[in-house]
Amino acid sequence: SRPPAGRASDEVRRRSELESRRAEVEARRLAEQEDQERRARDEEIRRRAEEEARRQAQELAQREAEARRLQEEAEARAEVAEEPVTVDDEPELPRETPKPHKAAKKAADVVERPGKKQAEPGEKERSIKKAARKDSIRARELEKPETEYVEDDAKEPVAGGRPVRRKRKVAKPQLQDKHGFQKPTAPVVREVEIPETISVGELAARMSVKAAQVIKELFKQGVMVTINQVIDQDTAAIVVEELGHKPVAAERKDVEDELIAELARQVDQIEQRSRPPVVTIMGHVDHGKTSLLDYIRRTRVASGEAGGITQHIGAYHVQTDKGVLSFLDTPGHAAFSAMRARGARVTDIVVLVVAADDGVMPQTIEAIQHARASNVPIVVAINKTDKPDANPDRVMQELTQQQVVAEEWGGDTMMVKVSAKTGEGIDNLLDALLLQAEVLELKAPTEGPARGAIVESSLDKGRGPVATVLVQAGTLHRGDMIVSGTEYGRVRAMFDENGRSVQEAGPSIPVQVLGLSGTPNAGDDVLVVVDERRAREVAELRTARERQSKLDDQRAVSLDQLFSQLKEGEQKAVNLILKADVQGSVEAIRDSLLKLSNDEVRVAVVATGVGAITESDANLAVTSNAILLGFNVRADAAARRVIDEKGLDLRYYSIIYELIDDVKKAISGMLSPVVTEEIIGLALVRDVFRSSKFGAIAGCMVTEGTIRRNSPIRVLRNNVVVFEGALESLRRFKDDVPEVKAGTECGIGVKNYNDVQTGDQIEVFERTERARVL
């Protein structure tokens, strides 16, 4: 039993108001928290800047004090060397006299030390002068260029006949460093390779500078970091430029790029051979696409689809007398635009099926656009020519308006008249497809690791994830390790479209693959890797990238975006959890549901997935207040127990029309009703009377329409509304009357308003509410 519509609407409105208030409180809390964090960051930056300035000032003061000390020491030594010193009258030394030379100190100790023999007069003076002379000689030697004396080989005779060696002065060779290092005369500019992220210590090592210098430069830029902290590429480039080096962005290489490059090298070394064409069947709903393919395959696929409508992409290959053809059957419903686009991306030839009794329809035009976007040739199959009202010439004329001109009319498009019921023209269609394939000269390597694309994927209860793979190059063998999107695994089994087990599949052959870790998205690439470790690395890398992209989309918003989100909080929301049997249906239904959002009601798909509705889905529906939708799937026992206990709304569907229509009706019920006002009467105040019971009573003449007692009114003064309220009394003479028509006088008492004046107009109106629909 369902609750009444009014009670459900009130409940939904009450929940939406609670959600709005919660959103406002949460946004206010986030704003206050962000403000506190910003103030804390500013305080930390200011404190560190003050500490850095204080440290620099202390270092400068120490350097100045050291310089003063050295200067005073030199001056003191000079004064000691020049002034005469006597024992009786010693000059007073300055307070900050540096330590005297060892010889001077020893002489002073000899003079002043008690218990020793007293020095003769003038001995202390001579000792101090001797020490000062030694200091001055040492200083002059340090200032002179380094020289040395060497003995000359020439010997000069002297008076006594004894030869004397003559010494000559030569410059000493410059002393080199212990390791022979020569200090460069110009700064070295290096090209620093910077990856996407790099630590401060590694960046300093690449520039051959100390890490403290890099941290200091980052502090100047307002970035507080440590030596092990990681910075981004742009920040590192700025630091490198500030330190006088040249930044070079490192080429991005990861496991996925290396794998693709390795496969490309292997493909280049393999001989390419001709391959079968991949043909995609496109067209409008109920134009006979699947029936045409059924006749070719001699099977009855259409009878297995709900309502006779294809809602999945099917992949088949057919062996004919003239060669092999691979077919992709795509749905014709408007919701499956994305699925048709995927079918056009992997195809070589597009067969456009148009019913001879219906003509060109919207999905027919869309299929033409997809084929042109993929730059593939089109072969038109005019179906249902066996019907009495068939008109192929009209179809050809309508296709001409879409720039699809038949060959017999001077164009370049092959058009074949066929009948999926009688088989008329089927052989001509196959001949046209094989002829078009010969013109295209389709080739691919048949040996080496396989590469392909996911056509469809689903979750089977007994077999696990099942993916339909279209091999595009190489050969896929049973037991190969493959990676597709964020999923990977070993091929445990392969089946063709008829369910027969196969051991390998070459180019342009579709097969069903078992063994993946999950259900990949339709359209993902399939790559064969060497081992499981390589496959896991590629899958984890793609998963991290996908997670990072989601985080980037959900990053902190600016102030303007915050206001817009707060405004959006006033919207009503319909939360949905969608589960389907295959991934393609999930994407198509989700895109169709999201298009139903409008300014008042927002459709939010909380979660999607492939397979049965599980207990976790039911718990998520309880948390997010969502409606569970199952498309060709059912809820398991644990999920049904939670659904019954919590009273969740669960809907099952097998046709996409019904699902979208039901969601439209639900959204229409949440739309605010259309309120219209209609003026039903107008009265002119002729005079105002005072009553002890009712206060001011307006004596009026009804000029237009009818004045009714229970209707809302407005008091107009000079055509300006001065009061809006309700009638308190309506009398004709002494009798209370329900209504007074035009041309009749009456007395009107306005509730809670006593300022009615002569000449005012009393306007009576009615409000009507009408439910809105999409």
Side-chain angles (χ1 to χ4, degrees):
S1 62
R2 299 181 179 176
R7 188 182 307 169
S9 178
D10 294 339
E11 180 66 18
V12 171
R13 188 179 299 107
R14 185 181 64 82
R15 291 182 179 178
S16 63
E17 291 174 355
L18 289 175
E19 291 294 333
S20 300
R21 287 196 290 271
R22 289 197 191 102
E24 292 176 357
V25 172
E26 182 66 17
R28 196 178 303 111
R29 186 185 65 79
L30 290 176
E32 293 175 355
Q33 183 178 359
E34 184 179 0
D35 190 25
Q36 292 177 359
E37 292 177 354
R38 187 179 65 255
R39 286 198 298 268
R41 288 195 301 269
D42 294 342
E43 182 65 20
E44 181 67 16
I45 291 172
R46 184 186 62 78
R47 185 183 62 79
R48 294 192 179 185
E50 290 177 355
E51 291 179 357
E52 181 67 18
R54 192 159 49 248
R55 185 182 61 79
Q56 292 179 357
Q58 290 177 358
E59 292 178 356
L60 180 60
Q62 290 177 359
R63 288 196 296 269
E64 291 176 354
E66 182 68 18
R68 284 196 304 269
R69 188 184 66 78
L70 294 176
Q71 183 178 2
E72 290 173 357
E73 181 178 353
E75 292 175 356
R77 289 179 177 175
E79 291 175 359
V80 169
E82 293 177 0
E83 295 181 1
V85 181
T86 60
V87 179
D88 298 333
D89 188 12
E90 294 182 358
E92 183 180 357
L93 297 176
R95 293 182 180 179
E96 297 183 359
T97 303
K99 294 182 180 180
H101 194 269
K102 289 189 292 184
K105 184 176 181 181
K106 185 176 180 180
D109 291 342
V110 171
V111 175
E112 298 178 355
R113 187 176 301 165
K116 297 290 185 179
K117 182 180 179 181
Q118 293 297 326
E120 297 180 358
E123 185 178 356
K124 183 178 180 179
E125 178 182 355
R126 288 191 299 271
S127 300
I128 293 175
K129 286 184 178 182
K130 184 178 180 181
R133 281 196 302 270
K134 287 184 179 182
D135 289 340
S136 60
I137 291 171
R138 184 186 178 192
R140 284 195 299 270
E141 288 179 354
L142 292 176
E143 292 176 359
K144 287 181 180 180
E146 295 184 358
T147 59
E148 67 177 355
Y149 294 90
V150 298
E151 294 184 354
D152 197 351
D153 295 337
K155 301 179 180 178
E156 297 180 358
V158 292
R162 182 182 177 184
V164 179
R165 289 185 180 274
R166 185 183 62 186
K167 292 185 179 181
R168 57 188 178 88
K169 187 186 299 184
V170 296
K172 289 183 179 180
Q174 293 291 333
L175 294 178
Q176 294 186 350
D177 188 70
K178 181 178 180 181
H179 302 286
F181 173 74
Q182 294 289 341
K183 184 177 180 182
T185 58
V188 179
V189 178
R190 295 179 175 85
E191 289 188 355
V192 182
E193 188 179 16
I194 306 174
E196 290 186 355
T197 57
I198 186 172
S199 65
V200 176
E202 185 180 356
L203 181 62
R206 294 190 179 188
M207 291 188 292
S208 298
V209 299
K210 293 183 178 181
Q213 190 173 355
V214 178
I215 295 174
K216 182 178 180 181
E217 188 62 36
L218 287 170
F219 275 16
K220 292 180 181 179
Q221 302 293 335
V223 181
M224 306 300 174
V225 295
T226 60
I227 189 172
N228 296 322
Q229 192 166 340
V230 177
I231 58 177
D232 58 89
Q233 190 178 48
D234 296 335
T235 305
I238 294 174
V239 174
V240 170
E241 289 180 352
E242 291 293 333
L243 295 178
H245 299 286
K246 183 179 179 181
V248 177
E251 184 179 356
R252 179 180 175 182
K253 294 182 180 179
D254 49 31
V255 180
E256 182 180 6
D257 296 335
E258 294 177 357
L259 176 62
I260 295 175
E262 181 180 350
L263 292 177
R265 287 193 299 269
Q266 294 178 3
V267 169
D268 294 340
Q269 298 173 359
I270 300 174
E271 181 184 359
Q272 294 190 355
R273 301 177 182 177
S274 60
R275 63 174 178 84
V278 179
V279 182
T280 299
I281 308 294
M282 289 187 174
H284 192 66
V285 177
D286 199 26
H287 276 202
K289 300 182 296 300
T290 307
S291 299
L292 179 63
L293 189 58
D294 286 345
Y295 190 89
I296 297 174
R297 299 173 50 233
R298 302 291 182 183
T299 57
R300 296 294 297 169
V301 176
S303 60
E305 294 285 356
I309 303 168
T310 301
Q311 306 187 74
H312 307 138
I313 288 184
Y316 321 97
H317 76 281
V318 179
Q319 182 74 39
T320 65
D321 297 336
K322 298 181 180 180
V324 179
L325 292 170
S326 295
F327 288 93
L328 295 180
D329 182 20
T330 59
H333 187 263
F336 291 88
S337 174
M339 295 172 65
R340 284 197 297 275
R342 286 198 302 272
R345 279 202 298 271
V346 298
T347 191
D348 300 316
I349 305 172
V350 169
V351 174
L352 182 63
V353 180
V354 186
D357 60 340
D358 200 4
V360 176
M361 301 300 288
Q363 272 69 54
T364 307
I365 299 174
E366 186 181 352
I368 295 172
Q369 294 173 352
H370 284 309
R372 286 176 177 167
S374 301
N375 196 20
V376 293
I378 300 176
V379 176
V380 178
I382 303 176
N383 196 17
K384 301 183 182 180
T385 55
D386 57 320
K387 285 193 172 183
D389 55 346
N391 189 357
D393 293 335
R394 180 173 66 89
V395 173
M396 297 170 66
Q397 179 66 33
E398 292 177 352
L399 289 173
T400 305
Q401 300 176 2
Q402 304 297 327
Q403 289 77 41
V404 179
V405 184
E407 288 181 342
E408 55 262 33
W409 288 7
D412 57 354
T413 303
M414 302 174 66
M415 294 190 182
V416 184
K417 299 175 183 178
V418 299
S419 172
K421 186 175 181 180
T422 63
E424 177 188 355
I426 298 297
D427 294 334
N428 296 332
L429 177 62
L430 296 179
D431 292 342
L433 294 176
L434 292 171
L435 177 61
Q436 187 68 56
E438 290 180 3
V439 174
L440 294 175
E441 295 181 354
L442 303 172
K443 292 184 178 181
T446 57
E447 303 297 332
R451 289 187 296 111
I454 297 293
V455 177
E456 191 60 274
S457 64
S458 61
L459 190 63
D460 191 280
K461 185 176 181 180
R463 299 186 296 175
V466 180
T468 302
V469 178
L470 177 65
V471 182
Q472 295 174 314
T475 302
L476 182 62
H477 300 274
R478 181 177 179 180
D480 287 346
M481 179 61 66
I482 62 175
V483 57
S484 176
T486 58
E487 309 297 338
Y488 68 96
R490 191 174 298 277
V491 179
R492 294 190 289 107
M494 287 195 302
F495 303 94
D496 60 7
E497 63 274 7
N498 297 320
R500 295 190 297 265
S501 176
V502 294
Q503 297 296 323
E504 61 181 21
S508 303
I509 301 299
V511 288
Q512 287 186 338
V513 174
L514 306 182
L516 287 173
S517 58
T519 55
N521 295 325
D524 286 346
D525 58 344
V526 177
L527 302 174
V528 174
V529 296
V530 179
D531 52 8
E532 184 178 359
R533 181 185 62 82
R534 195 81 173 271
R536 186 186 299 108
E537 288 178 358
V538 175
E540 290 177 353
L541 176 64
R542 291 176 173 177
T543 304
R545 287 181 180 176
E546 183 178 355
R547 187 185 304 113
Q548 185 62 37
S549 63
K550 291 181 180 179
L551 292 176
D552 293 340
D553 295 338
Q554 299 172 358
R555 61 182 181 271
V557 297
S558 62
L559 189 61
D560 295 338
Q561 293 172 338
L562 180 61
F563 286 152
S564 64
Q565 288 182 1
L566 290 176
K567 187 176 181 181
E568 290 176 0
E570 301 173 1
Q571 289 183 334
K572 300 174 183 178
V574 177
N575 295 330
L576 303 175
I577 294 177
L578 175 64
K579 297 297 286 293
D581 54 344
V582 294
Q583 187 69 32
S585 299
V586 170
E587 295 180 8
I589 297 173
R590 180 183 59 194
D591 294 341
S592 300
L593 294 177
L594 293 177
K595 292 178 182 177
L596 300 178
S597 299
N598 51 46
D599 295 338
E600 294 188 17
V601 179
R602 179 175 58 87
V603 177
V605 180
V606 178
T608 59
V610 176
I613 300 173
T614 61
E615 184 179 5
S616 61
D617 297 328
N619 292 329
L620 180 59
V622 173
T623 305
S624 59
N625 192 21
I627 301 173
L628 290 167
L629 302 178
F631 186 75
N632 289 333
V633 295
R634 295 295 182 266
D636 56 17
R640 288 197 300 270
R641 184 171 60 254
V642 176
I643 291 171
D644 294 339
E645 291 176 356
K646 304 297 182 180
L648 299 177
D649 191 359
L650 172 62
R651 307 287 181 91
Y652 292 137
Y653 300 95
S654 59
I655 298 179
I656 190 173
Y657 300 108
E658 298 176 358
L659 188 150
I660 297 176
D661 290 342
D662 282 0
V663 176
K664 276 185 180 179
K665 293 177 183 178
I667 294 176
S668 300
M670 296 184 67
L671 292 174
S672 58
V674 180
V675 179
T676 58
E677 290 186 358
E678 181 183 1
I679 299 175
I680 60 175
L682 187 65
L684 178 64
V685 178
R686 295 286 184 86
D687 200 356
V688 179
F689 306 96
R690 301 292 174 180
S691 170
S692 58
K693 183 177 180 181
F694 298 105
I697 302 297
C700 303
M701 170 65 72
V702 181
T703 57
E704 296 179 9
T706 303
I707 305 298
R708 295 176 183 171
R709 177 184 296 174
N710 296 325
S711 299
I713 66 168
R714 294 189 184 96
V715 179
L716 307 180
R717 186 170 299 159
N718 297 326
N719 291 323
V720 177
V721 178
V722 295
F723 178 76
E724 182 173 349
L727 289 179
E728 188 173 12
S729 64
L730 178 64
R731 290 192 176 189
R732 171 79 176 148
F733 296 106
K734 294 184 178 180
D735 299 328
D736 289 334
V737 292
E739 63 179 25
V740 178
K741 296 184 179 180
T744 309
E745 295 181 347
C746 62
I748 296 176
V750 181
K751 188 175 183 180
N752 298 329
Y753 188 71
N754 293 321
D755 192 22
V756 181
Q757 299 179 8
T758 303
D760 290 350
Q761 290 179 323
I762 297 178
E763 179 183 84
V764 183
F765 61 94
E766 281 185 348
R767 288 192 179 97
T768 57
E769 294 185 357
R770 178 172 52 87
R772 292 176 60 182
V773 294
L774 294 176

